[in-house]
Amino acid sequence: MEILQIVGLGVVSAVIIIVLRAQKPEIAVQISIITGIVIFLLVASKLSAVLDMLRSFSDKARIDPAYFTTVLKIIGIAYIAEFGAEVCKDAGEASIASKIELAGKVIIVVLAVPIITSLLELITRIMP
Amino acid sequence: MLRFLNDWILNITALVLFLAVIEILMPSGRMKKYCGLVTGVILIIAIINPFLKLFSSDFNLEDIQVANSNTIDRLEIEKNSKLLKDDQMKLITEVYRKKIIGQLEESAKKSKGVAVVKGDVIINEDYNSESFGEVKRVYLEITTSEVDNNIKPVVKVRQVKIGEDKLEETGSSDVDPKLKKQLEDRIISLFGLNRDIIVISKSKK
């Protein structure tokens, strides 16, 4: 039951962080980052299995592999940006968090632009 | 026709299921709507795409996407390389300027009666203009030496009163016209410059 491990880890680290925040806030932030990374590593192997399954699924359904990789990249970027932003918010740096979110949004838009322009191209080709 | 419809419906169904799974994986925060936008566009493309294949067979969506992606990358690289070029050109200009100053000082030192030379030049630093690197102004600050070598000083000391000499040195900052002309000629012959842009002054030390 991995979910119990993850929840246990999360709850324990939350309690430790609450206790430490009053005395040593800098250690509390570090524990928060480490907990986030450990939880991610715990589910990473399962996630890769899910992604492999999705890839084979998209091959069978003849979904363009370019779209598949783009969508996965976007989700990855969104997760990383959110993780960084949340850590910064926990550390009390809301302005840095918003900048991280902005960077994430910009990179997502850069990845999405080719897809959106393909759609536009498609529509202009259909129109007489 | 039936095969086309079959493929189309299968493709859309598979894509919707795929996007539904992706939706579960999406982060729950503010980024979700951006991911949703992209997945929505992909779904629209999947719905429209087969119609285009009916009208024209030469249309390849992947090529268009790669081309668009390449355009963005190219623009980004161009922009970055321009920034790098700016830095590089600044460095090149500075090295070039220092080299000219060094040559100027060296050539001025060869003139008789010049002990210390401090030079400076203003060059055209706009690398887009045709006259990039052109010397606009030359400044030379010279300290004349009455002592040229080991033999002459004895003669000079006898001829010139020390008190007067000092007075002359501190009192005026004009360079001896003969020496000035000699220096200017040398600079003009070396760098092919106009006489008007050369400013030679005497050091106030």
Side-chain angles (χ1 to χ4, degrees):
Chain A
M1 289 294 275
E2 268 179 334
I3 188 69
L4 287 177
Q5 284 180 352
I6 292 165
V7 172
L9 180 70
V11 170
V12 169
S13 40
V15 172
I16 292 171
I17 288 165
I18 291 165
V19 172
L20 277 177
R21 190 160 278 162
Q23 267 93 42
K24 285 189 183 289
E26 68 275 11
I27 304 283
V29 172
Q30 288 168 14
I31 289 174
S32 149
I33 295 169
I34 289 165
T35 311
I37 292 168
V38 169
I39 290 173
F40 176 73
L41 289 177
L42 279 172
V43 291
S45 59
K46 287 194 183 302
L47 193 65
S48 72
V50 171
L51 292 181
D52 285 343
M53 189 269 288
L54 279 176
R55 187 165 283 132
S56 65
F57 183 60
S58 72
D59 286 344
K60 275 180 198 163
R62 273 173 272 167
I63 297 168
D64 199 333
Y67 297 140
F68 181 77
T69 47
T70 310
V71 169
L72 287 189
K73 268 186 199 170
I74 287 170
I75 290 175
I77 290 162
Y79 262 110
I80 292 167
E82 287 239 343
F83 177 71
E86 292 301 324
V87 167
C88 289
K89 266 182 201 162
D90 286 350
E93 296 294 332
S95 62
I96 295 177
S98 67
K99 302 295 178 298
I100 291 175
E101 277 182 355
L102 173 75
K105 283 173 198 171
V106 169
I107 295 169
I108 287 173
V109 168
V110 168
L111 282 175
V113 161
I115 295 177
I116 294 166
T117 45
S118 323
L119 176 64
L120 267 175
E121 190 95 6
L122 201 63
I123 292 165
T124 48
R125 293 267 179 119
I126 289 173
M127 291 294 164
Chain B
M1 187 66 188
L2 204 65
R3 173 135 183 96
F4 162 74
L5 275 174
N6 189 22
D7 279 355
W8 188 39
I9 291 166
L10 187 72
N11 196 4
I12 291 170
T13 317
L15 194 65
V16 168
L17 287 173
F18 169 73
L19 294 179
V21 177
I22 290 290
E23 191 112 343
I24 297 168
L25 287 175
M26 276 181 199
S28 53
R30 285 186 212 172
M31 294 284 173
K32 192 171 181 174
K33 52 186 173 186
Y34 299 97
C35 300
L37 168 81
V38 178
T39 53
V41 170
I42 289 173
L43 188 60
I44 295 170
I45 289 173
I47 292 168
I48 299 175
N49 200 16
F51 284 105
L52 200 77
K53 279 181 184 159
L54 275 182
F55 298 121
S56 64
S57 56
D58 61 330
F59 181 76
N60 191 349
L61 199 64
E62 200 179 335
D63 289 352
I64 293 171
Q65 206 206 345
V66 169
N68 287 327
S69 178
N70 283 345
T71 311
I72 292 172
D73 289 346
R74 189 172 50 80
L75 290 173
E76 196 183 338
I77 290 167
E78 269 176 14
K79 203 153 248 177
N80 286 343
S81 66
K82 197 174 175 295
L83 285 176
L84 278 176
K85 198 179 170 190
D86 281 350
D87 286 348
Q88 206 177 5
M89 289 317 279
K90 264 182 200 163
L91 282 174
I92 290 171
T93 314
E94 194 51 38
V95 170
Y96 175 62
R97 205 174 72 86
K98 278 183 181 162
K99 200 176 167 187
I100 291 180
I101 292 171
Q103 283 174 344
L104 266 174
E105 289 177 352
E106 279 302 311
S107 68
K109 271 180 197 168
K110 283 176 189 164
S111 301
K112 268 187 177 178
V114 178
V116 185
V117 188
K118 211 179 149 196
D120 198 6
V121 289
I122 296 173
I123 58 171
N124 185 357
E125 292 183 6
D126 180 16
Y127 62 85
N128 289 321
S129 84
E130 278 184 16
S131 58
F132 169 59
E134 189 187 56
V135 179
K136 283 182 170 173
R137 203 111 181 132
V138 175
Y139 295 101
L140 271 185
E141 196 180 89
I142 56 168
T143 309
T144 49
S145 71
E146 311 307 330
V147 185
D148 270 349
N149 51 44
N150 294 331
I151 306 162
K152 277 186 180 176
V154 184
V155 182
K156 292 260 175 183
V157 169
R158 266 188 237 152
Q159 285 176 343
V160 180
K161 283 179 186 175
I162 298 162
E164 280 176 11
D165 189 29
K166 269 186 182 172
L167 241 173
E168 196 185 291
E169 247 184 40
T170 49
S172 74
S173 61
D174 286 345
V175 185
D176 175 29
K178 213 173 173 183
L179 179 64
K180 193 176 176 183
K181 195 176 179 304
Q182 189 190 344
L183 280 171
E184 280 177 358
D185 287 344
R186 192 184 281 270
I187 292 166
I188 289 163
S189 67
L190 262 177
F191 299 101
L193 303 174
N194 196 340
R195 197 177 289 271
D196 304 337
I197 64 167
I198 304 168
V199 179
I200 299 173
S201 60
K202 199 172 178 181
S203 176
K204 284 174 185 173
K205 275 183 189 174

